[in-house]
Amino acid sequence: MNTLLEGKKIVIMGVVNKSSIAWGCVEAMRDCGAFIIYTYQNDRVKRQLEKLVGADAPMVECDVATDEDVEKAFNEISTKYGTIDGLVHSIAFARKEELEGSLLDASREGFSIAHDVSAFSLIAVSKYASKIMNRGGSIATMTYIGSHRAVPNYNVMGVAKASLESIVKYLAVDLASQDIRINAISAGAIKTLASSGIKGFQQLLDSASERTPSDKPVTTREVGNTAAFLMSDLSTGVNGDTIYVDKGTHLS
Ligand SMILES: NC(=O)c1ccc[n+]([C@@H]2O[C@H](COP(=O)([O-])OP(=O)(O)OC[C@H]3O[C@@H](n4cnc5c(N)ncnc54)[C@H](O)[C@@H]3O)[C@@H](O)[C@H]2O)c1
């Protein structure tokens, strides 16, 4: 336990189970003394979250696919918990049929849903979160190297991650006047509920492990540790950037 995030209220969006990257963020930030407010997509996810953190933990429903829900969620957070100091956006979705084969077979609707939930949502969430965020606040999101490499089967999600990384840069400029910074973490491949939907994900994990200079795969906790750094005052000089937390897999 250390005091890096003591006194800071951090909203963490995207915990569905203990494999979630967002859960690695929770573990890291709890150990740094943060007060954590959880958001969940729907009642099914709420039940899973309650099993992890108890029914009395601060939690608010937020389906990022509608602006009304996002606005309502941050109004509720403001009413119940006051201002916040940080936010972790660890959310993505694409239909299973978009995560296999060729991008040439992408549907307009599937493309649109993936971009809406996985990229546009960062704009919506940042808009309402920044209204209740203290100066010096920090936002972090999760991306993947498939944003600029043609990773097999990643398809529309890769294009959505390219959009997400670009959104981070534009928002960094827009939020700077409020002294809020925003960054992305490019996490290495980790088996989670979302990543299991990518066809051939095991092969992707195997190929990542062959290319990793380290002999161990990256963990959600390691991603969470970097997110904790980004939420802390140690990272005030980092803005609009993408930090790789993949044990060096991106190097080859
Ligand atoms: N697992 C990996 O290999 C990997 C690598 C790099 C980046 N990422 C990114 O990390 C983030 C978290 O994914 P994960 O791998 O931990 O999977 P996960 O399944 O544990 O988390 C995904 C979360 O997104 C939420 N979500 C989906 N649609 C939503 C909506 N409409 N409204 C609100 N929440 C919604 C789900 O409820 C879930 O909590 C994603 O952005 C993912 O692309 C994952």
Side-chain angles (χ1 to χ4, degrees):
M1 176 91 177
N2 63 63
T3 56
L4 193 63
L5 296 175
E6 215 165 72
K8 288 200 189 289
K9 277 181 255 168
I10 315 277
V11 177
I12 298 192
M13 312 183 79
V15 177
V16 65
N17 58 35
K18 277 192 174 175
S19 304
S20 295
I21 289 179
W23 183 251
C25 297
V26 170
E27 291 183 316
M29 292 182 204
R30 275 203 309 217
D31 284 357
C32 294
F35 178 84
I36 295 168
I37 301 157
Y38 304 87
T39 73
Y40 56 87
Q41 182 183 355
N42 52 34
D43 282 344
R44 183 181 51 80
V45 178
K46 182 184 185 190
R47 284 192 292 276
Q48 288 181 253
L49 184 59
E50 281 179 348
K51 280 189 211 146
L52 292 179
V53 297
D56 294 335
M59 59 175 81
V60 169
E61 181 167 342
C62 184
D63 183 336
V64 298
T66 76
D67 288 336
E68 295 70 32
D69 229 59
V70 177
E71 184 175 15
K72 190 166 150 277
F74 283 93
N75 281 340
E76 194 179 330
I77 289 170
S78 164
T79 306
K80 286 187 177 160
Y81 310 108
T83 56
I84 60 173
D85 303 286
L87 177 126
V88 177
H89 170 278
S90 188
I91 287 174
F93 176 77
R95 287 175 176 169
K96 207 169 164 50
E97 60 266 31
E98 303 292 345
L99 298 172
E100 60 179 55
S102 163
L103 183 62
L104 290 170
D105 294 323
S107 70
R108 227 171 252 272
E109 202 191 354
F111 182 94
S112 176
I113 291 170
H115 280 70
D116 187 30
V117 175
S118 316
F120 181 81
S121 67
L122 182 65
I123 301 177
V125 159
S126 299
K127 175 174 173 174
Y128 294 105
S130 63
K131 290 181 197 288
I132 64 164
M133 193 173 280
N134 294 318
R135 291 185 75 82
S138 177
I139 299 172
T141 187
M142 299 299 160
T143 186
Y144 181 59
I145 200 169
S147 61
H148 58 275
R149 282 197 196 159
V151 172
N153 301 313
Y154 203 56
N155 299 342
V156 293
M157 191 54 83
V159 189
K161 291 300 191 192
S163 167
L164 183 77
E165 288 173 32
S166 182
I167 286 168
V168 165
K169 294 186 202 309
Y170 278 88
L171 291 182
V173 173
D174 290 345
L175 293 169
S177 61
Q178 296 172 60
D179 193 16
I180 293 173
R181 62 195 183 281
I182 176 164
N183 292 285
I185 293 175
S186 188
I190 300 173
K191 196 168 168 44
T192 62
L193 197 61
S195 65
S196 304
I198 304 164
K199 190 167 185 215
F201 186 71
Q202 188 54 46
Q203 278 129 281
L204 203 151
L205 278 177
D206 293 344
S207 114
S209 107
E210 277 161 29
R211 285 182 290 115
T212 307
S214 158
D215 59 349
K216 290 195 193 90
V218 72
T219 64
T220 56
R221 177 58 191 252
E222 287 172 316
V223 178
N225 287 344
T226 301
F229 157 73
L230 285 175
M231 293 297 113
S232 83
D233 295 342
L234 294 180
S235 67
T236 52
V238 187
N239 198 9
D241 222 330
T242 297
I243 300 179
Y244 285 87
V245 185
D246 67 353
K247 300 271 200 188
T249 309
H250 67 285
L251 297 171
S252 57

